[in-house]
């Protein structure tokens, strides 16, 4: 049979030189059905090529640049040609992959940029969107630029590592230990150096010391290893003993599923002596591997980056992507949470789109009664009706795909009842019985008229109205039912099972019951029917469980997803969360002088019933209330370790007071003093000069100033009252200016020694409102209250400072924000690092 490229050449010849239209050319060239759709897509109108949205740190190293046409790029050229000829990918998809991989490699240092360098980056993709292809494209680009050692940390499971190895063997290394089984392979320019493989395919193909000795710096090397402490340490020790200088091997380390296992879940934990606990062993092993490589770029790849952007950016040895963050564009033909579940939650500045219903009608919500029936399953039970319906839907969907010419493709159904392996085995046993019944009924349909009627009704009532392609008649679909059912293989994938998925010829018809082995990275090819009842509390876990996201070329209308209603709503909400995170990155990436990841620290929208990630992965993340409407915000943490900053804060506050002149209202000679209707610009300028504590997750400079400026743009918060309260009459006077003298206040620090429990005083707020005739509810006006905290607060036992001689008064702030007309229906909380 001819290849895709050969059929394409014939069709293009017939169109260009003989003037035939596409359909006539396809017919004359006798293009098979499965390739005809690919060629139609390839010849469709031009699609705008999307680039990654990038945030790049100011570089001191020379970066890679696009290679001139005169310089060979054998690995990139071979890889992209392989996708077209052997994978039959659409040209717009390949073009986008080509563009984004170039964007990424140009953020990496040139291999000869310095004797040594360490970089950290993060690439954010989409669930089941071709992340491995993006990794392969970057590896090819890096090798063309002169990087010699490409290491892929491929998850924590043997089958995922083996799957990744097979893909990279085919698409990059152009070799395998089993060339017949793994064919086809990429064909590189014969003049290019051949790849060396330090690992191999198969469950036992991970790195083993003593089986490899080739680290010559002439040819590029590929190693695909698990994120397993023993394996990573074994590999690092082997590298360190190499007779070849590692400085001759510029290294690209790709961390697949970078939010899994790589995160230091010991962050912030203290031992009995109040000392920080060492990083988790996996995190430390990755750090050690990176340090062993003199020239090293670490790039994390994940579709759920929530934990990665919450890694403490100040921990220089950790894995925070301090050098670049790239949000890949949504691929052409991709179906994610928004397309399948819709877009929920309220719109914001970051995602102004109104809520949306799903673009596709493929979700089948499980009722509480059905869920109760599933929960009540016992050994020996018959298959519950809803699960039997899902199996029948798989048979119908598969029959329709065969009628569309997809017989050379794999078909898969996915069932995930819970994390319990006992539940998974119970479901598998029930499904096995139902498959046996299906084999009997499709083999002798005349003896089971009710079963045939049930199948016809499902096809006509559920599929026909939602099917955008042929066939439409039941008979055409059902004639394939017998071959489908007889070829079904039932697999159980969990920690204890020995089953494996082998997507090789002949095409497979799998029903897969699984647990955690299916929730990370492992691809279920040709997935059409998903049956899912497991719940979770975390964004990343929920999204990773969605194996149904991805590409469904030519059969997306034949997919069905059976899920609990609450879970469907959560996926719809997370579509908004994803949209906002990417928008947060993109809006800065498009600026002429974009901020660095260290300056931005992306924020993640909070959810009322889901946590962003496991508490162990929250790192430096904290809740950040971006909307301050109708709230009182106050500084309760202070940078007391930085005495210069404390003194500078005093000077900034006194400068603000002095610049405003005499108070408009002075209740007494020693307080309170009120300056009315001062412009917001003065308050913003003061806040920008005030040093906030790094322990203040909400009340910090960027949050406050950006909120005020944003409300100004909406004609709100234009005017401010500035207030100095009377203070504690028993304390000495505090000179804010010649025209404003008040008293200090006492606020004892907590055990943290840099924080207090509360700064604001309700009587002070009430006194301001009374004296200034304010209600506090005018959207046009805010209020800034300045407190002078006595330097002796808490002394001599547990004061802010180590000794009285170190002590200095501390200026604290209270900001009173009114309600907002422009944000009447918006109150959004985010999670981010402390100083976003």
């Amino acid at each position: 049979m001819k290849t895709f490229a050969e059929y394409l050449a014939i069709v293009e010849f017939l169109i260009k030189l003989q003037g035939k239209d596409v359909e006539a050319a396809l017919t004359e060239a006798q293009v098979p059905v499965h390739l005809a759709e690919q060629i139609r897509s390839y010849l469709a109108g031009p699609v705008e090529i999307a680039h990654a949205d990038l945030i790049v740190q100011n570089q001191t190293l020379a970066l890679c640049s696009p290679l001139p046409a005169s310089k060979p790029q054998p690995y990139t050229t071979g890889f992209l040609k392989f996708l077209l000829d052997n994978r039959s990918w659409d040209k717009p998809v390949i073009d986008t992959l080509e563009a984004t991989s170039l964007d990424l490699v140009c953020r990496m240092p040139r291999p000869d940029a310095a004797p040594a360098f360490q970089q950290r980056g993060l690439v954010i993709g989409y669930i089941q969107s071709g992340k491995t292809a993006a990794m392969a494209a970057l590896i090819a680009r890096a090798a063309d630029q002169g990087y010699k050692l490409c290491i892929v940390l491929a998850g924590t499971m043997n089958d995922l590592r083996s799957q990744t190895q097979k893909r990279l063997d085919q698409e990059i290394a152009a070799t395998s230990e089993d060339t017949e089984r793994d064919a086809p392979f990429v064909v590189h320019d014969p003049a290019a150096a051949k790849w060396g493989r330090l690992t191999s395919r198969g469950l036992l193909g991970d790195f083993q010391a003593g089986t490899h000795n080739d680290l010559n710096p002439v040819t590029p090397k590929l190693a695909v290893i698990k994120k397993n402490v023993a394996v990573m340490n074994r590999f690092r020790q082997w590298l360190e003993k190499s007779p070849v200088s590692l400085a001759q091997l510029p290294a690209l380390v790709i961390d697949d599923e970078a939010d899994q296992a790589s995160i230091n879940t010991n962050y912030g934990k203290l031992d009995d002596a109040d000392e920080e606990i060492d990083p988790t062993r996996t995190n430390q092993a990755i750090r050690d591997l990176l340090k062993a490589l003199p020239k090293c770029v670490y790039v994390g790849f994940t579709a759920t980056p929530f934990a990665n952007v919450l890694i403490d950016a100040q921990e220089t040895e950790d894995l925070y992507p301090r050098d670049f963050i790239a949000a890949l564009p949504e691929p052409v033909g991709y179906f994610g949470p928004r397309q399948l579940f819709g877009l929920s939650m309220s719109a914001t500045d970051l995602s102004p789109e109104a809520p949306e219903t799903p673009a596709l009608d493929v979700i089948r919500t499980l009722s509480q009664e059905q869920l109760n029936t599933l929960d009540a399953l016992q050994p020996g039970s018959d298959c519950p009706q809803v699960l039997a319906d899902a199996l029948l839907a798989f048979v119908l969907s598969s029959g329709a795909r065969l009628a569309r010419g997809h017989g050379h493709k794999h078909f898969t159904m996915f069932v995930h009842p819970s994390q319990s392996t006992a539940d998974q085995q119970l479901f598998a046993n029930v499904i096995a019985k139902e498959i046996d019944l299906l084999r009997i009924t499709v083999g002798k349909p005349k003896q089971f008229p009710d079963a045939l009627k049930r199948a016809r009704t499902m096809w006509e009532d559920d599929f026909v109205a939602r099917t955008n392609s042929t066939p439409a008649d039941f008979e055409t679909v059902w004639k394939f039912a017998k071959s489908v059912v007889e070829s079904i293989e039932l697999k159980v994938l969990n920690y204890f099972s020995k089953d494996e998925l082998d997507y090789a010829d002949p095409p497979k018809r799998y029903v897969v019951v699984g647990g955690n082995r299916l929730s990370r990275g492992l691809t279920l090819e040709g997935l059409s029917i998903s049956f899912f009842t497991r719940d979770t509390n975390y964004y990343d876990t929920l999204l990773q469980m969605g194996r149904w996201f991805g590409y469904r070329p030519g059969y997306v209308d034949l997919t069905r997803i059976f899920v609990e209603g609450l879970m469907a709503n959560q996926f719809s909400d997370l579509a908004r969360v994803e949209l906002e995170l990417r928008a947060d990155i993109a809006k800065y990436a498009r600026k002429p002088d974009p901020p660095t990841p260290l300056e931005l620290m992306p924020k993640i929208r909070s959810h009322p019933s889901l946590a962003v990630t496991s508490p162990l992965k929250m790192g430096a993340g904290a809740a950040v209330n971006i909307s301050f409407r109708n709230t009182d915000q106050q500084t309760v943490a202070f940078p007391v370790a930085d005495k210069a900053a404390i003194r500078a804060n005093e000077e900034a506050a006194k400068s603000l007071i002095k610049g405003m002149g005499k108070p408009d209202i002075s209740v007494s000679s020693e307080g309170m003093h009120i300056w009315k209707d001062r412009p917001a610009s003065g308050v913003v300028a003061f806040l920008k000069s005030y040093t906030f504590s790094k322990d203040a997750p909400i009340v910090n400079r960027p949050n406050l100033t950006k909120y005020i400026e944003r409300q100004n743009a909406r004609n709100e918060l234009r005017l401010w009252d500035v207030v100095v309260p009377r203070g504690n009459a028993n304390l000495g006077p505090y000179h804010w200016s010649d025209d404003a003298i008040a008293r200090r206040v006492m606020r004892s620090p907590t055990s943290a020694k840099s924080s207090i429990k509360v700064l604001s005083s309700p009587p002070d707020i009430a006194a301001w409102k009374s004296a200034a005739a304010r209600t506090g509810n005018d959207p046009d006006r805010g209020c800034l209250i300045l407190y002078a905290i006595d330097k002796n607060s808490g002394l001599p036992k547990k004061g802010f400072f180590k000794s009285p001689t170190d002590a200095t008064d501390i200026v604290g702030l209270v900001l009173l924000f009114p309600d907002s007309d422009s944000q009447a229906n918006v109150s959004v909380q985010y999670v981010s690092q402390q100083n976003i």
Side-chain angles (χ1 to χ4, degrees):
M1 179 183 290
K2 296 182 180 69
T3 66
F4 171 81
E6 290 169 333
Y7 278 117
L8 176 63
I10 296 171
V11 170
E12 288 183 324
F13 171 82
L14 294 172
I15 293 172
K16 293 177 181 178
L17 297 183
Q18 296 190 11
K20 296 184 182 296
D21 61 29
V22 174
E23 294 305 317
L26 290 171
T27 301
E28 184 168 334
Q30 297 182 340
V31 179
V33 174
H34 68 281
L35 292 181
E37 190 62 37
Q38 296 286 343
I39 291 176
R40 290 189 188 97
S41 178
Y42 182 92
L43 296 175
V47 176
E48 181 179 352
I49 303 305
H51 291 256
D53 286 312
L54 292 159
I55 297 168
V56 186
Q57 184 175 356
N58 295 329
Q59 294 290 340
T60 57
L61 296 173
L63 298 180
C64 294
S65 58
L67 295 174
S70 59
K71 186 168 183 178
Q73 302 179 56
Y75 306 117
T76 302
T77 301
F79 169 67
L80 296 175
K81 188 174 185 298
F82 179 83
L83 295 184
L84 180 64
D85 291 349
N86 297 97
R87 300 288 194 220
S88 299
W89 282 27
D90 293 345
K91 191 173 185 300
V93 177
I94 296 174
D95 289 346
T96 294
L97 188 62
E98 181 179 12
T100 55
S101 62
L102 182 61
D103 287 339
L104 292 176
V105 82
C106 289
R107 268 64 194 180
M108 294 167 52
R110 279 204 333 250
D112 60 353
F117 53 77
Q118 289 278 323
Q119 277 206 326
R120 305 281 191 271
L122 178 67
V123 178
I124 304 172
Y126 290 80
I127 299 289
Q128 295 289 294
S129 66
K131 180 162 48 66
T132 304
M135 289 161 39
L138 181 57
I139 291 172
R141 290 277 192 194
D144 282 332
Q145 292 279 354
Y147 280 80
K148 295 299 183 183
L149 180 58
C150 295
I151 303 166
V152 179
L153 307 179
T156 62
M157 301 286 186
N158 283 325
D159 43 11
L160 176 56
R161 192 215 66 82
S162 178
Q163 183 185 77
T164 304
Q165 178 83 54
K166 177 184 176 182
R167 282 281 302 275
L168 296 179
D169 282 351
Q170 292 177 301
E171 298 173 359
I172 297 296
T175 186
S176 169
E177 68 280 0
D178 189 344
T179 54
E180 182 176 341
R181 179 184 180 84
D182 292 345
F185 289 93
V186 63
V187 177
H188 295 309
D189 187 324
K194 296 186 181 302
W195 281 82
R197 294 161 65 253
L198 304 178
T199 52
S200 58
R201 214 200 73 174
L203 297 182
L204 302 179
D206 213 335
F207 180 80
Q208 295 291 336
T211 60
H212 303 279
N213 56 17
D214 179 14
L215 267 182
N216 76 79
V218 177
T219 61
K221 306 293 183 295
L222 174 67
V224 183
I225 63 178
K226 288 196 307 296
K227 280 187 277 190
N228 174 282
V229 173
V231 174
M232 287 190 289
N233 286 342
R234 185 165 64 236
F235 184 66
R236 172 181 54 80
Q237 291 161 5
W238 176 76
L239 289 174
E240 291 172 336
K241 294 176 183 177
S242 169
V244 177
S245 170
L246 296 182
Q248 296 179 270
L249 295 168
L252 168 63
V253 178
I254 289 179
D255 188 351
D256 190 13
E257 305 294 347
D259 62 313
Q260 183 194 32
S262 305
I263 304 299
N264 175 24
T265 56
N266 282 343
Y267 175 83
K269 294 181 181 179
L270 303 177
D271 60 18
D272 293 340
D274 284 341
E275 297 291 335
E276 288 192 6
I277 296 175
D278 289 339
T280 47
R281 294 177 64 220
T282 304
N283 177 266
Q284 186 65 61
I286 295 174
R287 296 190 197 187
D288 291 342
L289 175 60
L290 302 182
K291 284 192 291 185
L293 299 165
K295 296 180 178 182
C296 178
V297 177
Y298 166 90
V299 183
F301 274 75
T302 182
T304 49
F306 310 113
N308 301 89
V309 299
L310 298 178
I311 296 170
D312 190 345
Q314 307 309 315
E315 289 282 341
T316 56
E317 290 190 359
D318 209 345
L319 306 179
Y320 182 78
R322 63 188 63 255
D323 295 295
F324 67 84
I325 299 175
L328 296 180
E330 184 171 273
V332 177
Y334 173 75
F335 292 91
R338 185 172 179 178
Q339 291 86 350
L340 296 180
F341 292 93
L343 183 65
S344 190
M345 301 179 80
S346 57
T348 66
D349 288 347
L350 284 175
S351 58
E353 296 88 344
E356 303 169 358
T357 56
L360 300 163
D361 183 13
V362 299
I363 308 301
R364 299 295 171 263
T365 302
L366 301 175
S367 68
Q368 189 57 55
E369 181 181 355
Q370 290 169 332
L371 290 168
N372 292 340
T373 302
L374 293 168
D375 289 340
L377 270 184
Q378 298 292 328
S381 295
D382 291 333
C383 187
Q385 187 61 53
V386 67
L387 185 54
D389 287 344
L391 280 166
L392 181 57
F394 178 59
V395 174
L396 293 170
S397 174
S398 300
R401 291 193 63 193
L402 289 171
R404 293 180 185 181
H406 295 189
H408 62 296
K409 300 288 188 180
H410 305 292
F411 304 164
T412 305
M413 175 178 173
F414 169 37
V415 180
H416 190 1
S418 76
Q419 286 181 294
S420 166
T421 56
D423 287 346
Q424 293 158 23
Q425 190 59 56
L426 177 60
F427 267 65
N429 294 340
V430 168
I431 291 169
K433 288 176 59 177
E434 185 65 18
I435 292 173
D436 287 341
L437 289 174
L438 277 172
R439 285 177 178 146
I440 295 172
T441 56
V442 298
K444 301 177 180 179
K446 292 183 180 180
Q447 296 183 21
F448 301 93
D450 290 343
L452 190 63
K453 180 180 178 182
R454 174 171 153 253
R456 180 187 294 274
T457 300
M458 177 179 289
W459 175 255
E460 294 177 350
D461 291 353
D462 190 1
F463 281 91
V464 171
R466 298 164 182 85
T467 296
N468 55 24
S469 181
T470 56
D473 61 295
F474 173 72
E475 285 72 18
T476 302
V477 173
W478 194 249
K479 71 180 182 181
F480 294 103
K482 188 173 186 296
S483 65
V484 170
V485 175
E486 289 180 348
S487 61
I488 288 176
E489 297 179 53
L490 179 63
K491 299 286 186 177
V492 179
L493 291 189
N494 56 40
Y495 285 118
F496 301 107
S497 73
K498 296 182 179 180
D499 286 354
E500 294 181 42
L501 301 183
D502 184 10
Y503 286 113
D505 288 334
K508 300 298 189 296
R509 311 294 180 242
Y510 281 140
V511 174
V512 182
V513 182
N516 289 339
R517 279 175 64 186
L518 291 175
S519 64
R520 278 282 177 176
L522 195 66
T523 298
L524 298 174
E525 296 192 20
L527 179 63
S528 59
I529 306 298
S530 301
F531 192 94
F532 212 96
T533 62
R534 176 186 164 189
D535 199 3
T536 182
N537 296 321
Y538 307 126
Y539 290 5
D540 41 16
T541 307
L542 185 63
L543 286 172
Q544 288 289 353
M545 291 191 303
R547 296 293 95 190
W548 47 72
F549 300 130
Y551 306 94
R552 303 291 179 263
Y555 68 99
V556 67
D557 57 313
L558 300 174
T559 61
R560 294 294 181 268
I561 303 170
F562 295 78
V563 291
E564 183 183 1
L566 173 62
M567 183 179 289
N569 292 336
Q570 288 175 337
F571 274 113
S572 179
D573 291 344
L574 290 190
R576 175 80 66 177
V577 172
E578 275 198 310
L579 189 63
E580 289 201 343
L581 177 59
R582 295 171 194 279
D584 190 32
I585 293 171
K587 74 174 184 179
Y588 292 103
R590 289 189 290 264
K591 289 186 175 183
D593 184 22
T596 74
L598 291 172
E599 295 168 329
L600 173 63
M601 298 185 183
K603 52 185 175 288
I604 306 160
R605 185 169 179 171
S606 297
H607 188 275
S609 64
L610 292 169
V612 169
T613 188
S614 161
L616 297 175
K617 294 183 181 181
M618 281 293 287
V624 180
N625 204 354
I626 302 303
S627 174
F628 291 120
R629 71 182 187 93
N630 202 22
T631 63
D632 301 347
Q633 301 297 331
Q634 55 187 306
T635 49
V636 294
F638 306 97
V640 296
D642 187 347
K643 287 185 289 184
I646 293 292
R647 294 192 181 100
N649 285 349
E650 273 196 289
E651 292 304 315
K654 289 181 178 181
S655 178
L656 172 67
I657 297 297
K658 183 178 180 180
M660 292 188 297
K662 290 185 177 181
D664 296 307
I665 300 173
S666 291
V667 176
S668 70
S669 60
E670 294 185 355
M672 94 177 358
H673 305 292
I674 304 172
W675 292 260
K676 296 181 65 176
D677 289 340
R678 292 317 196 251
S681 57
V683 173
V684 170
F686 163 67
L687 293 174
K688 288 183 176 179
S689 66
Y690 183 93
T691 300
F692 291 82
S693 169
K694 293 180 179 179
D695 296 322
I698 295 176
V699 186
N700 58 58
R701 180 187 302 133
N703 265 2
L704 296 171
T705 57
K706 288 177 182 177
Y707 179 75
I708 296 170
E709 289 169 343
R710 186 165 68 245
Q711 294 306 96
N712 255 240
R714 295 166 170 164
N715 292 317
E716 295 186 352
L717 283 180
R718 295 181 302 110
L719 301 173
W720 284 74
D721 287 358
V722 179
V723 179
V724 171
R726 180 180 180 184
N728 190 328
N730 296 322
L731 299 177
Y734 187 86
H735 290 257
W736 292 97
S737 72
D738 292 341
D739 299 310
I741 301 173
R743 303 279 177 166
R744 297 173 176 83
V745 297
M746 296 291 287
R747 297 290 188 270
S748 294
T750 63
S751 58
K753 297 184 180 180
S754 63
S755 302
I756 59 177
K757 287 185 177 180
V758 65
L759 175 62
S760 66
S761 166
D764 290 339
I765 296 173
W768 158 67
K769 289 182 177 180
S770 175
R774 304 296 196 203
T775 64
N777 266 334
D778 181 353
D780 199 35
R781 288 178 174 81
C783 179
L784 167 65
I785 304 177
L786 299 172
Y787 285 92
I789 303 173
D790 192 277
K791 61 185 179 182
N792 294 311
S793 293
L795 288 174
K797 292 185 177 181
K798 57 171 186 176
F800 288 103
F801 305 98
K802 293 182 179 179
S803 67
T805 57
D806 293 329
T808 184
D809 296 322
I810 300 172
V811 171
L813 317 178
V814 175
L815 295 102
L816 307 179
F817 292 100
D819 207 342
S820 166
D821 290 336
S822 67
Q823 289 192 313
N825 297 314
V826 180
S827 181
V828 180
Q829 189 176 72
Y830 291 83
V831 171
S832 182
Q833 296 219 31
Q834 293 170 346
N835 291 314
I836 66 169

